[in-house]
Amino acid sequence: TPTPPSDPSDTIGASWTAGGLMLAATGRVYFVMGNQGWICSGSVITDHDTGQSIVLTAGHCVVDEKTGKFATDWMFIPAFDTHPTYTCADTAYGCWVADALYADQEFATARRFNTTAVQHDWGFAVVGGGGKTATDELQLDGTVESLGIEYGGKYSGEKMSAFGYPAAAPYGGSDLVYCRGTVGTDPGTADTTWSLPCDMTGGSSGGPWVQAENTSTYGNAVVGSLNSYGYTSVTYMYGPMFNQETRDAFDSADSGTLLPGVVSSVP
């Protein structure tokens, strides 16, 4: 269990009330996997193609590591906190459906949620036009703006904030929650994944970790990891260390050209 935070701006889980970019660019993910509906969290990442947008989430929110099968009916709702509903016309900005999903090959072939899987637990969704109605063709990143992404960040001992939509008790799934604290590593993976004091629960998977000051609305936020997994009765969240393989997955999604070590739902 984490020691009580000495910094009053630290928290192991609180409602995000500062609005701004983090509210708009972080959202609810819905998808179907194994004939069952699931929820996760995700964030809009700056890309280089004006005809599409890219959402970052956890690998286990795009592909089943046990079977290698990709999710279907994958949808992103930004700023879900503002109007928490799956009726797109009643949400703050509307809904965006994935045209393609990308993940790391080592995650997709892990066959169980083991150390290899959590080390590679990132995924990217490419979405085209969307919005509040069936006729909307708005670009997601033009509607809510987007976050940067960093690969190879050295965060041990630094402050980061994690965001997501935890749905299991004590949370209800409709509120954007954040944790802020000092980053460490997980000895359970031989210190190959990040740790952060946090009590977020299921549904927060895929939500972004950013380096920023709690006193701002995180307008310069850059994502360096994401909510991946936790342990029962341990008040920490854990996330993968972004690296060249993460970049390759993003570049594949950004360009539409599959790089080695990346798998996709596109035939």
Side-chain angles (χ1 to χ4, degrees), residues 133-161:
T133 72
T135 59
D136 282 345
E137 289 297 332
L138 304 174
Q139 290 307 305
L140 173 59
D141 51 11
T143 302
V144 300
E145 300 186 41
S146 57
L147 307 173
I149 187 168
E150 180 177 43
Y151 312 99
K154 307 298 183 183
Y155 303 127
S156 287
E158 297 187 9
K159 293 289 182 72
M160 292 190 83
S161 296

PDB file of all heavy atoms in Angstrom, residues 133-161:
ATOM      1  N   THR A 133     -24.078  12.510 -35.257  1.00  0.00           N
ATOM      2  CA  THR A 133     -25.102  11.873 -36.087  1.00  0.00           C
ATOM      3  C   THR A 133     -24.447  10.998 -37.144  1.00  0.00           C
ATOM      4  O   THR A 133     -23.246  11.081 -37.383  1.00  0.00           O
ATOM      5  CB  THR A 133     -25.988  12.910 -36.791  1.00  0.00           C
ATOM      6  OG1 THR A 133     -25.232  13.546 -37.831  1.00  0.00           O
ATOM      7  CG2 THR A 133     -26.495  13.969 -35.809  1.00  0.00           C
ATOM      8  N   ALA A 134     -25.245  10.202 -37.799  1.00  0.00           N
ATOM      9  CA  ALA A 134     -24.741   9.289 -38.824  1.00  0.00           C
ATOM     10  C   ALA A 134     -24.158  10.032 -40.016  1.00  0.00           C
ATOM     11  O   ALA A 134     -23.359   9.475 -40.770  1.00  0.00           O
ATOM     12  CB  ALA A 134     -25.854   8.353 -39.277  1.00  0.00           C
ATOM     13  N   THR A 135     -24.540  11.282 -40.193  1.00  0.00           N
ATOM     14  CA  THR A 135     -24.046  12.049 -41.341  1.00  0.00           C
ATOM     15  C   THR A 135     -22.817  12.885 -41.013  1.00  0.00           C
ATOM     16  O   THR A 135     -22.220  13.475 -41.905  1.00  0.00           O
ATOM     17  CB  THR A 135     -25.159  12.973 -41.878  1.00  0.00           C
ATOM     18  OG1 THR A 135     -25.579  13.863 -40.833  1.00  0.00           O
ATOM     19  CG2 THR A 135     -26.343  12.161 -42.359  1.00  0.00           C
ATOM     20  N   ASP A 136     -22.433  12.961 -39.738  1.00  0.00           N
ATOM     21  CA  ASP A 136     -21.249  13.733 -39.366  1.00  0.00           C
ATOM     22  C   ASP A 136     -19.992  13.056 -39.894  1.00  0.00           C
ATOM     23  O   ASP A 136     -19.848  11.839 -39.817  1.00  0.00           O
ATOM     24  CB  ASP A 136     -21.131  13.861 -37.845  1.00  0.00           C
ATOM     25  CG  ASP A 136     -22.074  14.900 -37.269  1.00  0.00           C
ATOM     26  OD1 ASP A 136     -22.597  15.710 -38.043  1.00  0.00           O
ATOM     27  OD2 ASP A 136     -22.290  14.893 -36.047  1.00  0.00           O
ATOM     28  N   GLU A 137     -19.063  13.846 -40.411  1.00  0.00           N
ATOM     29  CA  GLU A 137     -17.770  13.332 -40.853  1.00  0.00           C
ATOM     30  C   GLU A 137     -16.659  14.193 -40.258  1.00  0.00           C
ATOM     31  O   GLU A 137     -15.679  14.513 -40.924  1.00  0.00           O
ATOM     32  CB  GLU A 137     -17.694  13.306 -42.386  1.00  0.00           C
ATOM     33  CG  GLU A 137     -18.561  12.238 -43.028  1.00  0.00           C
ATOM     34  CD  GLU A 137     -18.154  10.827 -42.646  1.00  0.00           C
ATOM     35  OE1 GLU A 137     -16.960  10.606 -42.356  1.00  0.00           O
ATOM     36  OE2 GLU A 137     -19.032   9.943 -42.622  1.00  0.00           O
ATOM     37  N   LEU A 138     -16.834  14.579 -39.013  1.00  0.00           N
ATOM     38  CA  LEU A 138     -15.852  15.421 -38.342  1.00  0.00           C
ATOM     39  C   LEU A 138     -14.619  14.609 -37.965  1.00  0.00           C
ATOM     40  O   LEU A 138     -14.721  13.443 -37.584  1.00  0.00           O
ATOM     41  CB  LEU A 138     -16.464  16.039 -37.081  1.00  0.00           C
ATOM     42  CG  LEU A 138     -17.746  16.862 -37.260  1.00  0.00           C
ATOM     43  CD1 LEU A 138     -18.296  17.266 -35.902  1.00  0.00           C
ATOM     44  CD2 LEU A 138     -17.469  18.082 -38.118  1.00  0.00           C
ATOM     45  N   GLN A 139     -13.438  15.227 -38.040  1.00  0.00           N
ATOM     46  CA  GLN A 139     -12.222  14.570 -37.589  1.00  0.00           C
ATOM     47  C   GLN A 139     -12.126  14.680 -36.072  1.00  0.00           C
ATOM     48  O   GLN A 139     -12.318  15.753 -35.496  1.00  0.00           O
ATOM     49  CB  GLN A 139     -10.996  15.186 -38.252  1.00  0.00           C
ATOM     50  CG  GLN A 139     -10.888  14.889 -39.731  1.00  0.00           C
ATOM     51  CD  GLN A 139     -10.969  13.405 -40.037  1.00  0.00           C
ATOM     52  OE1 GLN A 139     -10.212  12.617 -39.494  1.00  0.00           O
ATOM     53  NE2 GLN A 139     -11.887  13.020 -40.901  1.00  0.00           N
ATOM     54  N   LEU A 140     -11.808  13.575 -35.419  1.00  0.00           N
ATOM     55  CA  LEU A 140     -11.753  13.530 -33.962  1.00  0.00           C
ATOM     56  C   LEU A 140     -10.726  14.513 -33.411  1.00  0.00           C
ATOM     57  O   LEU A 140     -11.022  15.294 -32.500  1.00  0.00           O
ATOM     58  CB  LEU A 140     -11.425  12.106 -33.504  1.00  0.00           C
ATOM     59  CG  LEU A 140     -11.171  11.896 -32.019  1.00  0.00           C
ATOM     60  CD1 LEU A 140     -12.374  12.316 -31.187  1.00  0.00           C
ATOM     61  CD2 LEU A 140     -10.821  10.436 -31.753  1.00  0.00           C
ATOM     62  N   ASP A 141      -9.503  14.502 -33.958  1.00  0.00           N
ATOM     63  CA  ASP A 141      -8.469  15.371 -33.409  1.00  0.00           C
ATOM     64  C   ASP A 141      -8.735  16.844 -33.721  1.00  0.00           C
ATOM     65  O   ASP A 141      -8.218  17.722 -33.034  1.00  0.00           O
ATOM     66  CB  ASP A 141      -7.068  14.959 -33.871  1.00  0.00           C
ATOM     67  CG  ASP A 141      -6.956  14.779 -35.372  1.00  0.00           C
ATOM     68  OD1 ASP A 141      -7.891  15.169 -36.096  1.00  0.00           O
ATOM     69  OD2 ASP A 141      -5.934  14.244 -35.821  1.00  0.00           O
ATOM     70  N   GLY A 142      -9.538  17.119 -34.726  1.00  0.00           N
ATOM     71  CA  GLY A 142      -9.934  18.500 -34.979  1.00  0.00           C
ATOM     72  C   GLY A 142     -11.067  18.954 -34.092  1.00  0.00           C
ATOM     73  O   GLY A 142     -11.270  20.149 -33.877  1.00  0.00           O
ATOM     74  N   THR A 143     -11.792  17.987 -33.522  1.00  0.00           N
ATOM     75  CA  THR A 143     -12.924  18.299 -32.658  1.00  0.00           C
ATOM     76  C   THR A 143     -12.486  18.526 -31.218  1.00  0.00           C
ATOM     77  O   THR A 143     -12.968  19.440 -30.549  1.00  0.00           O
ATOM     78  CB  THR A 143     -13.961  17.154 -32.713  1.00  0.00           C
ATOM     79  OG1 THR A 143     -14.381  16.976 -34.067  1.00  0.00           O
ATOM     80  CG2 THR A 143     -15.173  17.457 -31.849  1.00  0.00           C
ATOM     81  N   VAL A 144     -11.569  17.695 -30.706  1.00  0.00           N
ATOM     82  CA  VAL A 144     -11.172  17.784 -29.286  1.00  0.00           C
ATOM     83  C   VAL A 144      -9.684  18.045 -29.097  1.00  0.00           C
ATOM     84  O   VAL A 144      -9.199  18.036 -27.984  1.00  0.00           O
ATOM     85  CB  VAL A 144     -11.566  16.495 -28.543  1.00  0.00           C
ATOM     86  CG1 VAL A 144     -13.057  16.270 -28.604  1.00  0.00           C
ATOM     87  CG2 VAL A 144     -10.816  15.277 -29.076  1.00  0.00           C
ATOM     88  N   GLU A 145      -8.920  18.252 -30.160  1.00  0.00           N
ATOM     89  CA  GLU A 145      -7.466  18.380 -30.099  1.00  0.00           C
ATOM     90  C   GLU A 145      -6.848  17.049 -29.692  1.00  0.00           C
ATOM     91  O   GLU A 145      -7.527  16.029 -29.658  1.00  0.00           O
ATOM     92  CB  GLU A 145      -7.055  19.524 -29.169  1.00  0.00           C
ATOM     93  CG  GLU A 145      -7.586  20.887 -29.601  1.00  0.00           C
ATOM     94  CD  GLU A 145      -7.056  22.005 -28.744  1.00  0.00           C
ATOM     95  OE1 GLU A 145      -5.853  21.983 -28.411  1.00  0.00           O
ATOM     96  OE2 GLU A 145      -7.828  22.900 -28.392  1.00  0.00           O
ATOM     97  N   SER A 146      -5.570  17.032 -29.395  1.00  0.00           N
ATOM     98  CA  SER A 146      -4.900  15.751 -29.170  1.00  0.00           C
ATOM     99  C   SER A 146      -3.703  15.913 -28.251  1.00  0.00           C
ATOM    100  O   SER A 146      -3.231  17.025 -27.985  1.00  0.00           O
ATOM    101  CB  SER A 146      -4.452  15.158 -30.512  1.00  0.00           C
ATOM    102  OG  SER A 146      -3.594  16.062 -31.199  1.00  0.00           O
ATOM    103  N   LEU A 147      -3.192  14.778 -27.777  1.00  0.00           N
ATOM    104  CA  LEU A 147      -2.042  14.725 -26.883  1.00  0.00           C
ATOM    105  C   LEU A 147      -0.810  14.271 -27.652  1.00  0.00           C
ATOM    106  O   LEU A 147      -0.912  13.530 -28.623  1.00  0.00           O
ATOM    107  CB  LEU A 147      -2.302  13.742 -25.739  1.00  0.00           C
ATOM    108  CG  LEU A 147      -3.581  13.943 -24.930  1.00  0.00           C
ATOM    109  CD1 LEU A 147      -3.775  12.789 -23.961  1.00  0.00           C
ATOM    110  CD2 LEU A 147      -3.539  15.265 -24.181  1.00  0.00           C
ATOM    111  N   GLY A 148       0.360  14.681 -27.180  1.00  0.00           N
ATOM    112  CA  GLY A 148       1.603  14.164 -27.735  1.00  0.00           C
ATOM    113  C   GLY A 148       1.892  12.788 -27.163  1.00  0.00           C
ATOM    114  O   GLY A 148       1.200  12.300 -26.274  1.00  0.00           O
ATOM    115  N   ILE A 149       2.931  12.145 -27.663  1.00  0.00           N
ATOM    116  CA  ILE A 149       3.336  10.841 -27.146  1.00  0.00           C
ATOM    117  C   ILE A 149       4.858  10.789 -27.115  1.00  0.00           C
ATOM    118  O   ILE A 149       5.531  11.338 -28.000  1.00  0.00           O
ATOM    119  CB  ILE A 149       2.754   9.685 -27.986  1.00  0.00           C
ATOM    120  CG1 ILE A 149       3.033   8.332 -27.337  1.00  0.00           C
ATOM    121  CG2 ILE A 149       3.234   9.736 -29.424  1.00  0.00           C
ATOM    122  CD1 ILE A 149       2.262   7.169 -27.950  1.00  0.00           C
ATOM    123  N   GLU A 150       5.410  10.162 -26.082  1.00  0.00           N
ATOM    124  CA  GLU A 150       6.862  10.082 -25.896  1.00  0.00           C
ATOM    125  C   GLU A 150       7.268   8.622 -25.772  1.00  0.00           C
ATOM    126  O   GLU A 150       6.591   7.829 -25.118  1.00  0.00           O
ATOM    127  CB  GLU A 150       7.275  10.837 -24.640  1.00  0.00           C
ATOM    128  CG  GLU A 150       8.760  10.811 -24.365  1.00  0.00           C
ATOM    129  CD  GLU A 150       9.145  11.635 -23.145  1.00  0.00           C
ATOM    130  OE1 GLU A 150       8.428  11.553 -22.124  1.00  0.00           O
ATOM    131  OE2 GLU A 150      10.166  12.349 -23.213  1.00  0.00           O
ATOM    132  N   TYR A 151       8.386   8.280 -26.404  1.00  0.00           N
ATOM    133  CA  TYR A 151       8.909   6.925 -26.348  1.00  0.00           C
ATOM    134  C   TYR A 151      10.251   6.939 -25.619  1.00  0.00           C
ATOM    135  O   TYR A 151      11.092   7.803 -25.859  1.00  0.00           O
ATOM    136  CB  TYR A 151       9.106   6.373 -27.758  1.00  0.00           C
ATOM    137  CG  TYR A 151       7.896   6.579 -28.654  1.00  0.00           C
ATOM    138  CD1 TYR A 151       7.854   7.643 -29.556  1.00  0.00           C
ATOM    139  CD2 TYR A 151       6.800   5.738 -28.569  1.00  0.00           C
ATOM    140  CE1 TYR A 151       6.747   7.843 -30.369  1.00  0.00           C
ATOM    141  CE2 TYR A 151       5.678   5.934 -29.370  1.00  0.00           C
ATOM    142  CZ  TYR A 151       5.662   6.997 -30.271  1.00  0.00           C
ATOM    143  OH  TYR A 151       4.562   7.198 -31.059  1.00  0.00           O
ATOM    144  N   GLY A 152      10.458   5.986 -24.726  1.00  0.00           N
ATOM    145  CA  GLY A 152      11.742   5.881 -24.035  1.00  0.00           C
ATOM    146  C   GLY A 152      11.909   6.836 -22.885  1.00  0.00           C
ATOM    147  O   GLY A 152      13.038   7.091 -22.453  1.00  0.00           O
ATOM    148  N   GLY A 153      10.811   7.379 -22.347  1.00  0.00           N
ATOM    149  CA  GLY A 153      10.916   8.290 -21.218  1.00  0.00           C
ATOM    150  C   GLY A 153      11.449   7.599 -19.975  1.00  0.00           C
ATOM    151  O   GLY A 153      11.153   6.438 -19.716  1.00  0.00           O
ATOM    152  N   LYS A 154      12.277   8.327 -19.196  1.00  0.00           N
ATOM    153  CA  LYS A 154      12.848   7.815 -17.951  1.00  0.00           C
ATOM    154  C   LYS A 154      12.109   8.486 -16.794  1.00  0.00           C
ATOM    155  O   LYS A 154      12.428   9.603 -16.405  1.00  0.00           O
ATOM    156  CB  LYS A 154      14.347   8.113 -17.879  1.00  0.00           C
ATOM    157  CG  LYS A 154      15.139   7.643 -19.093  1.00  0.00           C
ATOM    158  CD  LYS A 154      15.067   6.130 -19.266  1.00  0.00           C
ATOM    159  CE  LYS A 154      15.923   5.659 -20.440  1.00  0.00           C
ATOM    160  NZ  LYS A 154      15.807   4.197 -20.655  1.00  0.00           N
ATOM    161  N   TYR A 155      11.103   7.803 -16.245  1.00  0.00           N
ATOM    162  CA  TYR A 155      10.180   8.450 -15.318  1.00  0.00           C
ATOM    163  C   TYR A 155      10.386   8.088 -13.853  1.00  0.00           C
ATOM    164  O   TYR A 155       9.728   8.665 -12.992  1.00  0.00           O
ATOM    165  CB  TYR A 155       8.746   8.099 -15.709  1.00  0.00           C
ATOM    166  CG  TYR A 155       8.380   8.475 -17.118  1.00  0.00           C
ATOM    167  CD1 TYR A 155       7.843   7.531 -17.990  1.00  0.00           C
ATOM    168  CD2 TYR A 155       8.588   9.765 -17.600  1.00  0.00           C
ATOM    169  CE1 TYR A 155       7.502   7.871 -19.287  1.00  0.00           C
ATOM    170  CE2 TYR A 155       8.261  10.112 -18.895  1.00  0.00           C
ATOM    171  CZ  TYR A 155       7.722   9.156 -19.733  1.00  0.00           C
ATOM    172  OH  TYR A 155       7.398   9.495 -21.024  1.00  0.00           O
ATOM    173  N   SER A 156      11.255   7.137 -13.546  1.00  0.00           N
ATOM    174  CA  SER A 156      11.424   6.724 -12.150  1.00  0.00           C
ATOM    175  C   SER A 156      11.764   7.923 -11.269  1.00  0.00           C
ATOM    176  O   SER A 156      12.690   8.688 -11.567  1.00  0.00           O
ATOM    177  CB  SER A 156      12.530   5.682 -12.026  1.00  0.00           C
ATOM    178  OG  SER A 156      12.099   4.444 -12.531  1.00  0.00           O
ATOM    179  N   GLY A 157      10.998   8.087 -10.198  1.00  0.00           N
ATOM    180  CA  GLY A 157      11.222   9.184  -9.278  1.00  0.00           C
ATOM    181  C   GLY A 157      10.563  10.478  -9.686  1.00  0.00           C
ATOM    182  O   GLY A 157      10.604  11.456  -8.929  1.00  0.00           O
ATOM    183  N   GLU A 158       9.946  10.526 -10.881  1.00  0.00           N
ATOM    184  CA  GLU A 158       9.270  11.725 -11.352  1.00  0.00           C
ATOM    185  C   GLU A 158       7.768  11.625 -11.102  1.00  0.00           C
ATOM    186  O   GLU A 158       7.225  10.543 -10.904  1.00  0.00           O
ATOM    187  CB  GLU A 158       9.535  11.932 -12.849  1.00  0.00           C
ATOM    188  CG  GLU A 158      10.998  12.168 -13.190  1.00  0.00           C
ATOM    189  CD  GLU A 158      11.191  12.531 -14.649  1.00  0.00           C
ATOM    190  OE1 GLU A 158      10.181  12.766 -15.343  1.00  0.00           O
ATOM    191  OE2 GLU A 158      12.346  12.570 -15.096  1.00  0.00           O
ATOM    192  N   LYS A 159       7.095  12.769 -11.133  1.00  0.00           N
ATOM    193  CA  LYS A 159       5.652  12.800 -10.952  1.00  0.00           C
ATOM    194  C   LYS A 159       4.948  12.611 -12.293  1.00  0.00           C
ATOM    195  O   LYS A 159       5.303  13.231 -13.289  1.00  0.00           O
ATOM    196  CB  LYS A 159       5.214  14.139 -10.341  1.00  0.00           C
ATOM    197  CG  LYS A 159       5.684  14.366  -8.908  1.00  0.00           C
ATOM    198  CD  LYS A 159       4.946  13.456  -7.944  1.00  0.00           C
ATOM    199  CE  LYS A 159       5.380  13.702  -6.518  1.00  0.00           C
ATOM    200  NZ  LYS A 159       4.878  14.981  -5.976  1.00  0.00           N
ATOM    201  N   MET A 160       3.928  11.758 -12.283  1.00  0.00           N
ATOM    202  CA  MET A 160       3.060  11.601 -13.441  1.00  0.00           C
ATOM    203  C   MET A 160       1.618  11.518 -12.964  1.00  0.00           C
ATOM    204  O   MET A 160       1.347  11.270 -11.785  1.00  0.00           O
ATOM    205  CB  MET A 160       3.409  10.349 -14.253  1.00  0.00           C
ATOM    206  CG  MET A 160       4.747  10.403 -14.957  1.00  0.00           C
ATOM    207  SD  MET A 160       4.990   9.030 -16.126  1.00  0.00           S
ATOM    208  CE  MET A 160       4.120   9.664 -17.570  1.00  0.00           C
ATOM    209  N   SER A 161       0.710  11.743 -13.887  1.00  0.00           N
ATOM    210  CA  SER A 161      -0.709  11.615 -13.604  1.00  0.00           C
ATOM    211  C   SER A 161      -1.311  10.599 -14.565  1.00  0.00           C
ATOM    212  O   SER A 161      -1.019  10.611 -15.762  1.00  0.00           O
ATOM    213  CB  SER A 161      -1.436  12.948 -13.774  1.00  0.00           C
ATOM    214  OG  SER A 161      -0.977  13.893 -12.835  1.00  0.00           O
TER     215      SER A 161
END
